[in-house]
mmCIF file of all heavy atoms in Angstrom:
data_model
loop_
_atom_site.group_PDB
_atom_site.id
_atom_site.type_symbol
_atom_site.label_atom_id
_atom_site.label_comp_id
_atom_site.label_asym_id
_atom_site.label_seq_id
_atom_site.Cartn_x
_atom_site.Cartn_y
_atom_site.Cartn_z
ATOM 1 N N ILE A 90 -92.904 -55.428 31.456
ATOM 2 C CA ILE A 90 -93.992 -54.806 32.294
ATOM 3 C C ILE A 90 -94.920 -54.151 31.371
ATOM 4 O O ILE A 90 -94.686 -53.382 30.534
ATOM 5 C CB ILE A 90 -93.325 -53.802 33.347
ATOM 6 C CG1 ILE A 90 -92.356 -54.503 34.260
ATOM 7 C CG2 ILE A 90 -94.488 -53.165 34.108
ATOM 8 C CD1 ILE A 90 -91.592 -53.689 35.151
ATOM 9 N N VAL A 91 -96.246 -54.559 31.638
ATOM 10 C CA VAL A 91 -97.358 -53.972 30.883
ATOM 11 C C VAL A 91 -98.290 -53.210 31.807
ATOM 12 O O VAL A 91 -98.677 -53.855 32.816
ATOM 13 C CB VAL A 91 -98.169 -55.070 30.111
ATOM 14 C CG1 VAL A 91 -99.277 -54.498 29.379
ATOM 15 C CG2 VAL A 91 -97.242 -55.875 29.171
ATOM 16 N N LEU A 92 -98.686 -52.027 31.472
ATOM 17 C CA LEU A 92 -99.590 -51.237 32.283
ATOM 18 C C LEU A 92 -100.807 -50.957 31.483
ATOM 19 O O LEU A 92 -100.727 -50.517 30.290
ATOM 20 C CB LEU A 92 -98.859 -49.885 32.695
ATOM 21 C CG LEU A 92 -97.644 -49.958 33.522
ATOM 22 C CD1 LEU A 92 -96.414 -49.500 32.724
ATOM 23 C CD2 LEU A 92 -97.793 -49.153 34.781
ATOM 24 N N LEU A 93 -101.948 -51.078 32.116
ATOM 25 C CA LEU A 93 -103.202 -50.729 31.556
ATOM 26 C C LEU A 93 -103.544 -49.330 32.070
ATOM 27 O O LEU A 93 -103.693 -49.144 33.250
ATOM 28 C CB LEU A 93 -104.346 -51.701 31.879
ATOM 29 C CG LEU A 93 -105.782 -51.379 31.556
ATOM 30 C CD1 LEU A 93 -105.835 -51.247 30.011
ATOM 31 C CD2 LEU A 93 -106.765 -52.391 32.102
ATOM 32 N N LEU A 94 -103.605 -48.378 31.179
ATOM 33 C CA LEU A 94 -103.752 -46.929 31.532
ATOM 34 C C LEU A 94 -104.750 -46.266 30.701
ATOM 35 O O LEU A 94 -105.174 -46.697 29.623
ATOM 36 C CB LEU A 94 -102.451 -46.226 31.305
ATOM 37 C CG LEU A 94 -101.198 -46.798 32.007
ATOM 38 C CD1 LEU A 94 -99.890 -46.329 31.472
ATOM 39 C CD2 LEU A 94 -101.291 -46.427 33.538
ATOM 40 N N LYS A 95 -105.284 -45.074 31.244
ATOM 41 C CA LYS A 95 -106.109 -44.235 30.419
ATOM 42 C C LYS A 95 -105.266 -43.698 29.239
ATOM 43 O O LYS A 95 -104.094 -43.406 29.528
ATOM 44 C CB LYS A 95 -106.558 -42.989 31.290
ATOM 45 C CG LYS A 95 -107.699 -43.251 32.130
ATOM 46 C CD LYS A 95 -108.088 -41.916 32.748
ATOM 47 C CE LYS A 95 -109.243 -42.093 33.744
ATOM 48 N NZ LYS A 95 -109.692 -40.765 34.335
ATOM 49 N N MET A 96 -105.833 -43.542 28.136
ATOM 50 C CA MET A 96 -105.080 -43.055 26.974
ATOM 51 C C MET A 96 -105.044 -41.561 27.120
ATOM 52 O O MET A 96 -106.012 -40.838 26.924
ATOM 53 C CB MET A 96 -105.831 -43.411 25.650
ATOM 54 C CG MET A 96 -105.014 -43.427 24.419
ATOM 55 S SD MET A 96 -103.545 -42.447 24.350
ATOM 56 C CE MET A 96 -104.120 -40.928 23.706
ATOM 57 N N ASP A 97 -103.912 -41.007 27.589
ATOM 58 C CA ASP A 97 -103.767 -39.595 27.764
ATOM 59 C C ASP A 97 -102.330 -39.208 27.477
ATOM 60 O O ASP A 97 -101.417 -39.254 28.415
ATOM 61 C CB ASP A 97 -104.103 -39.177 29.174
ATOM 62 C CG ASP A 97 -104.161 -37.699 29.437
ATOM 63 O OD1 ASP A 97 -103.755 -36.918 28.472
ATOM 64 O OD2 ASP A 97 -104.649 -37.297 30.465
ATOM 65 N N SER A 98 -102.055 -38.777 26.245
ATOM 66 C CA SER A 98 -100.605 -38.451 25.835
ATOM 67 C C SER A 98 -100.288 -37.063 26.318
ATOM 68 O O SER A 98 -99.157 -36.653 26.013
ATOM 69 C CB SER A 98 -100.571 -38.478 24.302
ATOM 70 O OG SER A 98 -101.400 -37.568 23.767
ATOM 71 N N SER A 99 -101.082 -36.337 27.085
ATOM 72 C CA SER A 99 -100.693 -35.026 27.559
ATOM 73 C C SER A 99 -100.101 -35.039 28.922
ATOM 74 O O SER A 99 -99.783 -33.862 29.405
ATOM 75 C CB SER A 99 -102.024 -34.108 27.518
ATOM 76 O OG SER A 99 -102.859 -34.548 28.570
ATOM 77 N N THR A 100 -99.895 -36.103 29.440
ATOM 78 C CA THR A 100 -99.433 -36.166 30.859
ATOM 79 C C THR A 100 -97.894 -36.370 30.989
ATOM 80 O O THR A 100 -97.205 -36.786 30.057
ATOM 81 C CB THR A 100 -100.058 -37.360 31.656
ATOM 82 O OG1 THR A 100 -99.679 -38.616 30.960
ATOM 83 C CG2 THR A 100 -101.519 -37.281 31.623
#
Side-chain angles (χ1 to χ4, degrees):
I90 300 175
V91 178
L92 298 112
L93 175 60
L94 301 163
K95 280 186 181 179
M96 200 341 267
D97 188 352
S98 61
S99 68
T100 62

